[in-house]
């Protein structure tokens, strides 16, 4: 039997098409001596290929149930179908595979050699498919997962203690890696999945990112405990040598206090420069930025036994006050409240472990949202 044009076209489209076409082209294959009505070797390849493409996976579930139960009745109960539906499914499979698959005997449905060969592979395939489409499970108490966060030292200092307490109670085997939010291409790291969630102040993140409010803060002024400023007014503020924290200036590409990378703009100046400059615009002298730092760690040491004063986030000042000899003063102007947010990639939306992580971080920030 010579391969006709329709069969040849189908063969070219099939996964085995290259083999079939090569054989047909090389030999103009004619098969003889086969049982009348039986498919040729070429037709058999085509049947198997086309059958797999059009295969209803429910037929495999029926096959697996009959193999396990060795009974059409019990199989129908297992897959929640009628007996006739199970019988019809078996008939379709028999026709597609050209094998009886199961033979009815007094002892039940006995599998053929072909069915016995197929059974373990089909069982494993169904298990893999089921695992692929079901929602993954996450048990914090037993999980050994490692999460990677990106945060500056301010966010780390005010969140680390309550966060670790929650992890100790609920997920003692989970580990955290905290990377600096500065000096890295944050957007790229999140895109690549190397950072699970970033914590910071962001401006209009691209649509591929999701955000959630963690807490808000405004600015205050801190000095060494030994200094007595009295009432802090604009004139006194203008005379103070200031310490401020900035993660990058114009030389690093900052515009309006934000650094933008791959469409993600994160705040670089950790104080409200605009409000400060507006307040002192009519002063005889502009504010003096005596020290500009890329982090908050050195601030308490700089204030000790010096004339310096620092403008810092209120939650950080309250945390430092508990451990260092500093005093907190309200600024003589209203700083714009800033929103510290969680930021993550949209691809992890709905993933149980990430949903849990976001919830834990929000719980760790509860006192900050209450202002305490």
């Amino acid at each position: 039997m010579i391969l006709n044009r329709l069969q040849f076209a189908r063969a070219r489209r099939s996964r085995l098409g290259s083999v079939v076409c090569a054989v047909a082209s090389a030999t103009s294959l004619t098969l003889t001596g086969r049982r009348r009505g039986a498919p040729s070797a070429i037709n058999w390849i085509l049947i198997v290929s086309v059958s797999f493409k059009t295969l209803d996976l429910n037929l495999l579930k029926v096959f697996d149930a009959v193999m396990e139960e060795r009974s059409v009745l019990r199989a129908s109960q297992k897959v929640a179908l009628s007996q006739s539906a199970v019988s019809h499914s078996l008939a379709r499979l028999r026709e597609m595979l050209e094998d009886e698959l199961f033979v009815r005997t007094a002892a039940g449905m006995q599998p053929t050699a072909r069915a016995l060969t197929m059974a373990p592979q089909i069982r494993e395939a169904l298990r893999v498919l089921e695992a692929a489409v079901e929602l993954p499970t996450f048990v914090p108490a037993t999980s050994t997962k490692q999460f990677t966060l990106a945060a500056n030292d301010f966010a780390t200092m005010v969140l680390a203690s309550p966060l670790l307490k929650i992890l100790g109670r609920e997920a003692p085997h989970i580990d955290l890696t905290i990377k600096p939010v500065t000096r890295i291409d944050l957007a790229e790291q999140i895109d690549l999945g190397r950072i699970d969630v970033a914590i910071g102040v962001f401006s209009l993140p691209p649509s591929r990112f999701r955000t959630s409010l963690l807490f808000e803060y405004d600015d205050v002024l801190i000095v060494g405990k030994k200094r007595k400023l009295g009432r802090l007014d604009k004139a006194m503020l203008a005379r103070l040598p200031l310490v401020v924290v900035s993660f990058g200036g114009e030389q690093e590409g900052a515009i309006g206090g934000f650094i933008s990378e791959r469409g993600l703009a994160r705040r670089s100046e950790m104080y409200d420069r605009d409000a400060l400059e507006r307040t002192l615009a009519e002063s005889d002298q502009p504010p003096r930025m005596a020290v500009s730092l890329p982090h908050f760690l050195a601030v308490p040491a700089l204030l000790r036994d010096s004339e310096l004063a620092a403008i810092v986030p209120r939650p950080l000042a309250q945390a430092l006050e508990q451990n260092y000899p500093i005093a907190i003063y309200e600024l003589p102007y209203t700083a714009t409240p800033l929103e510290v947010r969680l930021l993550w990639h949209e691809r992890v939306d709905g993933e149980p472990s990430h949903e849990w992580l976001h919830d834990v971080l929000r719980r760790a920030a509860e006192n900050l949202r209450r202002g305490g």
Side-chain angles (χ1 to χ4, degrees):
M1 176 180 179
I2 299 177
L3 202 66
N4 64 38
R5 291 183 179 180
L6 176 59
Q7 290 171 322
F8 191 83
R10 287 177 178 172
R12 288 179 61 86
R13 291 195 298 269
S14 73
R15 293 176 64 186
L16 299 176
S18 59
V19 176
V20 174
C21 294
V23 173
S25 300
T27 63
S28 297
L29 185 63
T30 301
L31 297 178
T32 60
R34 60 184 173 86
R35 177 172 53 87
R36 178 172 298 191
S40 69
I42 293 295
N43 283 337
W44 184 87
I45 293 173
L46 289 170
I47 289 169
V48 171
S49 178
V50 173
S51 295
F52 181 77
K53 288 182 177 180
T54 59
L55 180 64
D56 181 352
L57 291 181
N58 286 317
L59 300 183
L60 299 185
K61 293 176 67 177
V62 168
F63 172 87
D64 185 61
V66 175
M67 175 62 69
E68 182 176 359
E69 300 295 339
R70 306 297 170 92
S71 163
V72 171
L73 173 60
R74 290 194 297 273
S76 68
Q77 295 168 342
K78 184 178 180 68
V79 295
L81 293 173
S82 66
Q83 285 183 255
S84 60
V86 170
S87 297
H88 179 67
S89 296
L90 282 179
R92 288 178 60 192
L93 265 178
R94 285 164 171 156
E95 181 180 357
M96 292 174 66
L97 302 179
E98 295 189 335
D99 190 274
E100 284 298 306
L101 297 178
F102 297 97
V103 178
R104 192 180 301 277
T105 70
M109 302 293 285
Q110 295 302 311
T112 64
R114 175 75 181 279
L116 289 171
T117 301
M118 293 168 48
Q121 298 177 64
I122 289 177
R123 172 68 57 82
E124 177 62 16
L126 291 173
R127 186 195 65 78
V128 171
L129 286 172
E130 185 177 11
V133 300
E134 284 188 344
L135 285 175
T137 59
F138 174 69
V139 182
T142 58
S143 176
T144 56
K145 195 173 178 67
Q146 178 174 326
F147 291 107
T148 300
L149 315 182
N152 58 39
D153 57 338
F154 154 48
T156 301
M157 184 169 184
V158 299
L159 287 172
S161 179
L163 175 59
L164 291 177
K165 288 179 181 177
I166 295 174
L167 292 181
R169 291 194 307 266
E170 300 181 14
H173 307 295
I174 281 180
D175 295 328
L176 293 180
T177 296
I178 301 179
K179 294 185 176 181
V181 75
T182 57
R183 302 293 185 263
I184 59 173
D185 188 331
L186 185 60
E188 180 187 49
Q189 294 295 299
I190 298 174
D191 284 338
L192 294 175
R194 295 173 181 168
I195 290 175
D196 296 306
V197 62
I199 301 171
V201 178
F202 307 100
S203 175
L204 300 175
S207 60
R208 68 185 185 277
F209 297 128
R210 302 287 183 264
T211 71
S212 174
L213 178 65
L214 202 56
F215 63 91
E216 294 182 349
Y217 73 87
D218 60 355
D219 295 337
V220 294
L221 185 126
I222 60 175
V223 296
K225 193 78 170 181
K226 295 178 181 178
R227 294 202 64 189
K228 305 298 180 183
L229 296 183
R231 181 176 175 273
L232 180 61
D233 57 18
K234 295 179 183 179
M236 180 180 293
L237 179 63
R239 295 192 298 271
L240 292 175
L242 297 175
V243 177
V244 295
V245 173
S246 176
F247 300 139
E250 294 180 2
Q251 64 273 23
E252 285 85 19
I255 300 176
F258 285 84
I259 293 177
S260 182
E261 299 160 332
R262 303 174 191 269
L264 177 62
R266 55 180 172 82
R267 189 169 184 85
S268 59
E269 292 180 343
M270 298 305 294
Y271 68 104
D272 190 343
R273 178 194 285 269
D274 289 341
L276 173 64
E277 292 180 345
R278 284 197 306 270
T279 298
L280 301 183
E282 299 178 0
S283 174
D284 295 337
Q285 61 188 58
R288 179 191 169 196
M289 307 305 182
V291 181
S292 181
L293 296 171
H295 51 73
F296 291 97
L297 282 175
V299 171
L302 292 176
L303 300 184
R304 189 191 304 270
D305 301 323
S306 78
E307 297 298 309
L308 294 170
I311 298 177
V312 300
R314 185 183 298 273
L316 179 65
Q318 293 168 341
L320 293 175
E321 188 181 31
Q322 298 176 18
N323 299 286
Y324 298 96
I326 66 168
I328 301 175
Y329 290 86
E330 296 294 331
L331 291 164
Y333 60 86
T334 301
T336 303
L338 295 177
E339 293 185 347
V340 176
R341 305 185 74 87
L342 302 177
L343 181 140
W344 64 91
H345 201 280
E346 63 179 355
R347 68 173 170 269
V348 300
D349 272 353
E351 205 285 323
S353 66
H354 287 263
E355 296 287 339
W356 174 85
L357 175 63
H358 302 162
D359 176 67
V360 165
L361 287 166
R362 283 188 286 266
R363 283 189 280 146
E366 282 180 359
N367 285 340
L368 300 174
R369 287 195 295 276
R370 292 196 295 263

